[in-house]
């Protein structure tokens, strides 16, 4: 599977849509399983992006690379 290049904001919007669909019982069991797999990938992407941004910010605040 090719790695998708998706913006953080788009990933969050997709996650919100999946949550809304689940909360409103809009998915059958097969769709729910597929959406949960996608949500898991989106969550990992968001977490990785936030971790990377946090590291970059700390590096800047610490005065850059040493």
């Amino acid at each position: 599977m090719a790695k998708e290049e998706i913006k953080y904001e788009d990933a969050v919007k997709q996650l919100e849509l999946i949550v809304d669909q689940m909360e409103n019982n809009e998915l059958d069991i097969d769709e729910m399983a597929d959406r949960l797999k996608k949500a898991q990938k989106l969550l990992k992407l968001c977490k990785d992006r936030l971790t990377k941004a946090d590291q970059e910010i700390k590096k800047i605040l610490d005065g850059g690379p040493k």
Side-chain angles (χ1 to χ4, degrees):
M1 176 187 232
K3 187 174 182 179
E4 291 182 46
E5 189 59 40
I6 183 171
K7 291 184 177 182
Y8 176 84
E9 292 82 8
D10 293 334
V12 171
K13 286 178 187 176
Q14 288 183 35
L15 281 166
E16 289 172 344
L17 177 62
I18 291 169
V19 170
D20 286 343
Q21 289 173 331
M22 292 176 74
E23 287 179 342
N24 294 320
N25 296 320
E26 296 175 13
L27 305 171
D28 64 32
I29 193 72
D30 293 323
E31 290 174 318
M32 188 177 296
D34 288 340
R35 294 300 194 295
L36 285 172
K37 288 177 188 175
K38 182 166 181 84
Q40 185 178 27
K41 291 176 185 176
L42 291 168
L43 285 169
K44 181 178 181 342
L45 181 142
C46 290
K47 181 181 175 188
D48 290 348
R49 296 263 174 96
L50 288 172
T51 300
K52 182 178 178 185
D54 184 54
Q55 290 170 346
E56 290 174 2
I57 290 168
K58 285 179 182 176
K59 197 179 287 186
I60 290 168
L61 294 175
D62 289 342
K66 296 183 180 185

